[in-house]
């Protein structure tokens, strides 16, 4: 099998578009498009995949991309089904195209995702509660914790603490570590690094400097100040121990 195409969403979260060549096209519903490089995030870790568009350099023909996903290590773009297309014919192998993500949506996901890390870091640091899962949409998200003593009063306190950390302007650092090095970091062990597939040689880590460190594949902003503020919109018990906290971004 040929080497996987270049996947910029993992190395540069701020890359919005890229010129690429079509490596494969599979007509169908939806049609699937493979490029030699892409800025699309394929989804994972609770962060939805990017949407956007592919446009051909030769004639400007444009195809909306409704989603992306990973198939056998490659990022595959799902084009809008044929009936909804304005252009008709599909791109062909070898075509030079520009792949561009829906940046306002992605950037909101990056802010949301980073806010969830800060929430996770605060809840661990100040209450010793471990995160067990999470999910997000652009502008809102939820996290589940093993957090027996969570209450309405604590939720207000948590909201204030998260906003203080966001305003503190903490840098967000992404690194790729050899497996052994990553598995030696105590903070990573607590965030279920053990669930990573046994075969992988490297682990990507995301650090909110001074607050939170996780094994993570998603996209984040470079500094917590870029998130703005959050509001806790709800919390619920998913059992005696498991609690869910919902947040949303506060737009100024
Ligand atoms: Zn993350």
């Amino acid at each position: 099998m040929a080497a996987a195409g270049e996947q910029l969403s993992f190395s540069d979260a701020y890359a919005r578009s890229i010129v690429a060549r079509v490596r494969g096209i599979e007509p169908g519903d939806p049609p699937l498009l493979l490029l030699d490089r892409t800025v699309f995030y394929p989804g994972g870790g609770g962060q939805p995949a990017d949407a956007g568009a592919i446009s051909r350099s030769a004639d400007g023909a444009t195809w909306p991309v409704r989603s992306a996903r990973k198939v056998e290590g490659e990022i595959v773009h799902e084009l809008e089904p044929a009936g909804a297309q304005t252009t008709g014919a599909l791109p062909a192998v070898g075509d030079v195209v520009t792949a561009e993500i829906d940046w306002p949506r992605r950037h909101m996901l990056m802010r949301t995702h980073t806010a969830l890390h800060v929430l996770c870091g605060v809840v661990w640091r100040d209450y010793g509660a471990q995160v067990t899962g999470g999910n997000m949409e652009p502008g809102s998200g939820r996290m589940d914790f093993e957090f027996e003593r969570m209450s309405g009063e604590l939720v207000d306190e948590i909201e204030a603490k998260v906003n203080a950390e966001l305003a503190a302007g903490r840098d967000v650092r992404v690194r790729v570590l050899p497996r052994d090095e990553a598995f030696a970091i105590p903070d990573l062990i607590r965030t279920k690094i053990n669930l990573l597939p046994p075969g992988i040689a490297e682990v990507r880590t995301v650090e909110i400097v001074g607050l939170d460190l996780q094994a993570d594949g998603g996209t984040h902003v470079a500094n917590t100040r870029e998130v703005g503020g959050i509001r806790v919109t709800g919390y619920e018990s998913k059992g005696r121990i498991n609690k869910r906290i919902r947040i949303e971004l506060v737009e100024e």
Side-chain angles (χ1 to χ4, degrees), residues 113 117 216 220:
H113 196 149
H117 280 248
D216 191 302
H220 310 76

Side-chain angles (χ1 to χ4, degrees), residues 3-8 18-24 34-38 74 77 95 97:
E6 204 183 337
Q7 303 176 349
L8 269 88
I18 196 165
V19 175
R21 197 173 283 276
V22 177
R23 281 175 64 201
L34 181 63
L35 302 173
D36 64 351
R37 58 178 64 93
T38 189
E74 299 278 8
H77 307 76
D95 281 356
V97 298

Side-chain angles (χ1 to χ4, degrees), residues 200-213:
I200 58 162
E202 292 180 323
V203 177
R204 184 175 183 271
T205 64
V206 175
E207 180 179 18
I208 311 282
V209 175
L211 182 66
D212 184 64
L213 178 61

Side-chain angles (χ1 to χ4, degrees), residues 150-235:
M150 226 255 301
S151 67
E153 270 167 46
L154 274 189
V155 160
D156 289 344
E157 192 177 292
I158 289 166
E159 180 182 277
K161 286 179 173 185
V162 169
N163 281 321
E165 294 299 335
L166 291 171
R170 293 185 182 274
D171 283 333
V172 182
R173 269 189 217 146
V174 178
R175 293 202 294 165
V176 177
L177 300 175
R179 177 192 176 83
D180 291 350
E181 206 176 309
F183 272 71
I185 301 173
D187 267 15
L188 284 187
I189 306 299
R190 97 178 143 81
T191 55
K192 318 267 186 228
I193 195 176
N194 298 324
L195 300 180
L196 294 175
I200 58 162
E202 292 180 323
V203 177
R204 184 175 183 271
T205 64
V206 175
E207 180 179 18
I208 311 282
V209 175
L211 182 66
D212 184 64
L213 178 61
Q214 310 208 8
D216 191 302
T219 65
H220 310 76
V221 293
N223 186 285
T224 58
R225 211 178 286 119
E226 200 174 324
V227 175
I230 62 111
R231 177 164 44 223
V232 174
T233 54
Y235 71 99

Side-chain angles (χ1 to χ4, degrees), residues 25-36:
I25 181 85
E26 196 179 297
D29 191 6
L32 301 178
L33 178 78
L34 181 63
L35 302 173
D36 64 351

